[in-house]
């Protein structure tokens, strides 16, 4: 309990931290809603930051070769099955032929690539988090 | 066949319970369209798998493998590898930059009204194609299973339609997600059980099983023949077979990343990291399931045989008939109930993505310039759309009747998605110069080209077909890209180019992404 002798009523005209209600005045930063806050981000300057550029490069260095690899590996299957059927019918393990083993290997290729991407993406997350601590904001 | 009926009813009661529960959770647009973005990674992974492993996977692939051996397994391979496209290219940027639908990402830097109108049209088209396949599966299944209890194909289709409308209208995305999860767990356990029973028939010896696969005997035009079912080319025969296989493969791996009902799933999780992990969860489940189609399909080929399947409902009934051969009528009923649950859940997922797209993209953003006139209007429109979509699906399914293989029908939906949706999603994320004209022409070219080629394909025109391939992907996907690129080059749109930096930052860092709502 505070002592009753202190009058909580603010003095008229004194400066407070409450934003003025004027129509044309900009809101102070702490009163922005999430959406308004985002609009303050200077997207072009963030995009030009060296940290952002190196994040993009790091991502491209993984995603581009990974995509090319899986597309080539995947389409090798229908192309070989369609145009080299004699080769793909070669029995490898008892009755099991090359075509089936190649098809089965696609599953493990997909899982392996997904696991590798998860690991790499952890690195991208760290880079993005570090970048987000000091993004340039527009002045209003 | 009352066991089957009882199992159907148990699933229906459980899922209606889920719907009741989620209807009592907090309401609002975020909750209805995106389950409040509170779904966790494993839950969403299981739900993605549930959305994906439709009647096409369980009934369709098993049927093609049972009839044409190895070539059917190509569907299984493509449908898993497709998730690499989703994981590496689409899932995270979409979650970071969008709100409820695929069009959100497109509308980000393009002129929203034409883009959203086209995207809504393409979403409705893909969903309808997909839904027709599911309904055909449901009809065939119920016609076979419940013929003794007096339930006809029509009644069954109407029943499925009404249930799915109930899930979506009352439960929204939360109920739909949980129905998917329950169904995915049922489907996985049923498939594991079936696979083990198939192996048990061969004394748990893969060598014996593979030996049987290499010598499958059936009647062809009244003559008994023995074929090696590991041999490719039983379905995709020369001269156009190899090309058709490549076309199908393209549609499968590029189509998944353009499927509206899969893409909306990434909005139900709190952030891009969760979206990514949920894709990997889904890949583990989906991959395991598709490897097991070896046992379902080849098991049906060796233990049931083409002749018996043909006499009892056709290709789509291979997996349920395999269950009957292995575990008697009770197991038959159990597997049929799983297939039924599968269809119901997928149809609900399709309905919610179609109605979300209509309400959010078309109604609110195109007709009303992005403003809700009354609170809750968008959700109300989505509920009404679910009714309409349901009614249309019921009507088309009844008109079509149980005919073509469902995996084949679904592959056509994939071709449309790959030709119309994927090019514009990829270009808007990666090409600065891309603009509104490009998005509209890309969506339109992909949509028109794929549907036109399906109409003049052998599956609709028979031997008189003007286009020799059953799947249009190999022509329509490049056309979709070409349409988008040429449309873009017609004019410049500085506003779209200026906003590219913003999209790039948002998509790659998650800055300003839609947050999960509090309870």
């Amino acid at each position: 309990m505070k002592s009753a002798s202190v009058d909580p009523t603010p003095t008229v005209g004194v400066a407070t931290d409450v934003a003025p209600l004027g129509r044309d005045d900009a809101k102070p930063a702490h009163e922005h809603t999430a959406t308004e806050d985002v609009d303050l981000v200077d997207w072009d300057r963030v995009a030009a930051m060296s940290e952002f550029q190196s994040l993009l490069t790091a991502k491209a260095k993984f995603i581009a070769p990974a995509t090319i690899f899986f597309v080539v590996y995947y389409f090798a299957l229908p192309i070989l099955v369609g145009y080299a059927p004699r080769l793909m019918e070669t029995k490898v393990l008892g009755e099991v032929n090359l075509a089936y083993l190649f098809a089965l290997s696609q599953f493990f290729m997909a899982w392996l690539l997904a696991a590798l991407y998860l690991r790499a993406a952890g690195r991208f997350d760290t880079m993005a988090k570090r970048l987000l601590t000091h993004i340039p904001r527009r002045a209003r | 066949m009352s066991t089957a009926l009882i199992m159907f009813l148990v699933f229906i009661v459980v899922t209606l319970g889920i719907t009741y529960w989620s209807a009592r959770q907090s309401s609002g647009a975020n909750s209805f369209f995106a389950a409040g973005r509170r779904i966790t990674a494993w839950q969403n992974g299981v739900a993605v798998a549930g959305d994906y492993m439709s009647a096409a996977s369980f009934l369709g692939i098993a049927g093609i493998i049972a009839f044409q051996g190895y070539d059917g397994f190509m569907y299984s391979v493509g449908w898993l590898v497709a998730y690499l496209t989703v994981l590496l290219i689409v899932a995270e940027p979409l979650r970071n930059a969008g709100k409820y639908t695929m069009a959100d990402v497109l509308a980000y830097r393009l002129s929203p009204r034409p883009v959203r109108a086209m995207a809504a049209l393409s979403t409705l088209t893909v969903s309808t194609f997909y839904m027709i396949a599911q309904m055909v599966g449901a009809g065939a299944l119920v016609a076979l299973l419940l013929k003794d209890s007096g339930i006809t194909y029509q009644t069954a289709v109407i029943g499925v339609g009404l249930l799915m409308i109930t899930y979506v209208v009352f439960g929204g995305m939360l109920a739909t997600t949980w129905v998917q999860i329950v169904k995915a767990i049922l489907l996985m356990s049923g498939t594991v059980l079936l696979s083990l029973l198939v192996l048990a028939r061969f004394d748990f010896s893969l060598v014996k099983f593979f030996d049987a696969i290499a010598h499958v005997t059936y009647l062809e035009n009244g003559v008994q023949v023995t074929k090696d079912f590991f041999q490719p080319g039983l379905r995709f025969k020369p001269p156009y077979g190899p090309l058709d296989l490549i076309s199908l493969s393209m549609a499968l791996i590029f189509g998944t990343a353009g499927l509206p009902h899969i893409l909306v799933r990434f909005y139900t999780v709190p952030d891009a990291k969760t979206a990514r992990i949920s894709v990997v969860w889904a890949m583990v489940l989906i991959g395991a399931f598709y490897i097991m189609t070896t046992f379902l399909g080849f098991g049906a080929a060796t233990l049931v045989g083409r002749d018996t399947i043909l006499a009892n409902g056709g290709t789509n009934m291979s997996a349920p008939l395999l269950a009957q051969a292995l575990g008697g009528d009770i197991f038959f009923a159990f597997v049929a109930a799983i297939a039924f649950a599968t269809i119901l859940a997928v149809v609900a997922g399709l309905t919610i993505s179609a109605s979300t797209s209509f309400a959010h993209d078309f109604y609110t953003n195109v007709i009303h310039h992005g403003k809700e006139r009354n609170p809750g209007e968008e959700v109300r429109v989505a509920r009404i759309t679910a009714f309409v979509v349901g009614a249309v699906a019921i009507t088309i399914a009844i008109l079509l009747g149980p005919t073509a293989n469902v995996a084949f029908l679904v592959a056509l939906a994939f071709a449309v998605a790959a030709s119309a949706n994927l090019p514009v999603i990829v270009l808007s994320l990666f090409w600065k110069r891309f603009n509104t004209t490009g998005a509209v022409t890309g969506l339109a070219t992909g949509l028109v080209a794929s549907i036109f080629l399906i109409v003049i394909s052998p599956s609709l025109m028979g031997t008189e077909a003007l286009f020799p391939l059953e799947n249009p992907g190999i022509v329509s996907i490049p056309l979709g890209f070409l349409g988008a690129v040429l449309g873009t080059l017609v004019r410049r749109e500085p506003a779209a180019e200026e906003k590219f930096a913003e999209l790039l930052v948002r998509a790659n860092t998650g800055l300003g992404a839609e947050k999960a709502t509090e309870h």
Side-chain angles (χ1 to χ4, degrees), chain A residues 27-97:
Chain A
K27 282 185 188 175
H30 70 272
E31 286 214 337
H32 285 135
T33 60
T35 2
E36 288 164 336
D37 208 24
V38 162
D39 284 337
L40 277 182
V41 174
D42 191 335
W43 300 104
D44 289 323
R45 274 177 59 204
V46 180
M49 282 164 75
S50 64
E51 281 117 316
F52 184 70
Q53 288 303 325
S54 53
L55 171 66
L56 286 190
T57 319
K59 277 191 164 184
K61 264 191 185 151
F62 183 91
I63 292 174
T67 306
I68 292 169
F69 170 75
F70 92 76
V71 168
V72 170
Y73 191 85
Y74 173 71
F75 279 106
L77 177 67
I79 291 171
L80 284 173
V81 161
Y83 294 100
R86 292 285 90 76
L87 169 74
M88 298 307 275
E89 279 164 26
T90 318
K91 304 266 178 192
V92 185
L93 280 171
E95 290 290 348
V96 182
N97 59 19

Side-chain angles (χ1 to χ4, degrees), chain B residues 135-207:
Chain B
M135 288 296 210
V136 166
L141 185 72
V142 176
L144 173 70
L145 195 74
L146 300 178
K147 57 185 172 199
D148 301 334
S149 52
I151 295 176
T152 59
Y153 174 77
Q154 277 91 336
T155 329
V157 170
I158 293 172
V160 172
L162 288 180
L163 275 170
M164 113 209 153
I165 292 171
T166 312
Y167 297 150
V168 174
V169 169
F170 296 104
M173 194 50 146
L174 191 59
T176 310
T177 303
W178 279 100
V179 169
Q180 292 303 0
I181 293 173
V182 171
K183 161 257 164 127
I185 293 169
L186 273 178
L187 181 60
M188 283 306 280
S189 38
T191 308
V192 169
L193 206 56
L194 259 176
S195 305
L196 287 176
L197 287 174
V198 168
L199 269 180
R201 276 296 177 95
F202 293 98
D203 307 324
F204 291 99
S205 153
L206 280 175
V207 178

Side-chain angles (χ1 to χ4, degrees), chain B residues 34 37 39 44-45 48 83 86-87 90-96 98-100 173 256-257 259-272 274-280 282 514:
Chain B
R37 308 189 200 283
I39 303 291
N44 194 48
V48 168
Y83 270 87
V86 177
L87 178 70
V90 177
E92 294 173 56
L94 206 71
R95 174 61 188 88
N96 277 335
K99 196 169 169 159
Y100 300 136
M173 194 50 146
T256 306
L259 287 183
H261 70 293
I262 297 295
L263 298 181
V264 291
R265 290 245 144 259
F266 300 119
Y267 295 121
T268 65
V269 295
D271 53 32
T274 318
R276 174 203 309 149
I277 297 170
S278 72
V279 179
V280 177
E514 290 280 327

